[in-house]
Amino acid sequence: MPERGFALAQLTNGESGTQAMAQIEAWALRHYRGLAKRPEVGVVRLSEADLAAFAGVYERHDGRFVITPEQDTGRLSVEVTEIDEENAEESEQPRLVLEPVGGRRFRSVQGPSKDAIVDFLTLADDAGQTRTLVRISGRLAERSRTESGAADA
């Protein structure tokens, strides 16, 4: 909230860090700014082609995320597989549904991650190769292949 001279930075590495941060944020907004709740962020409409550009399999050391556009809803669906860092055991987690609140920013609409923000980033290296990443649950995962199965460039 730069226009109000207020910022809050939080870091976590805990399993339920996103939920804790939401509660801390709500308390800080109420305590320091007198706001009963976070200012609303409106939903934006993205074309089916825009949504399809985010589709693919994103991976990191502790999880895999299969992201696909939902038909006729303007949202993305995320199938979440948690990967145990110690024994590589995989477990399916509840599916996420994301609604767009910006061109590359989405908000979870249900479950324990409700209202969590998910961002998509595209980065280029010195050789001009691009990498597509998603920031989900506060951590980055890189797209390893698109929905069609092609490797990300």
Side-chain angles (χ1 to χ4, degrees):
M1 304 174 71
E3 70 279 2
R4 294 188 175 190
F6 179 77
L8 174 67
Q10 300 182 77
L11 300 172
T12 180
N13 66 352
E15 290 295 319
S16 57
T18 302
Q19 294 90 345
M21 289 190 323
Q23 292 174 359
I24 292 166
E25 178 185 283
W27 177 87
L29 288 172
R30 191 172 50 254
H31 184 76
Y32 293 112
R33 302 305 309 164
L35 299 175
K37 63 180 189 171
R38 172 192 272 195
E40 288 294 320
V41 176
V43 176
V44 300
R45 292 284 303 159
L46 297 180
S47 71
E48 288 187 25
D50 289 336
L51 291 170
F54 300 116
V57 178
Y58 295 77
E59 297 177 290
R60 63 184 190 212
H61 70 286
D62 64 347
R64 182 174 46 256
F65 308 91
V66 179
I67 299 177
T68 55
E70 287 188 341
Q71 293 295 319
D72 303 319
T73 67
R75 295 174 170 182
L76 294 175
S77 175
V78 183
E79 293 177 28
V80 180
T81 302
E82 189 174 271
I83 302 171
D84 188 287
E85 295 180 66
E86 307 235 346
N87 61 22
E89 215 172 89
E90 297 186 4
S91 61
E92 299 301 313
Q93 300 299 309
R95 179 178 72 96
L96 301 176
V97 176
L98 307 176
E99 64 185 2
V101 294
R104 302 180 70 76
R105 177 166 273 204
F106 291 77
R107 173 178 52 211
S108 178
V109 299
Q110 65 189 28
S113 296
K114 185 176 184 331
D115 294 327
I117 297 296
V118 173
D119 295 299
F120 289 87
L121 306 122
T122 302
L123 305 173
D125 64 18
D126 293 338
Q129 296 288 345
T130 59
R131 297 168 49 196
T132 303
L133 304 132
V134 63
R135 182 183 306 118
I136 192 164
S137 299
R139 295 181 182 171
L140 292 173
E142 185 169 6
R143 184 163 63 184
S144 57
R145 56 189 183 276
T146 61
E147 189 176 343
S148 67
D152 210 18

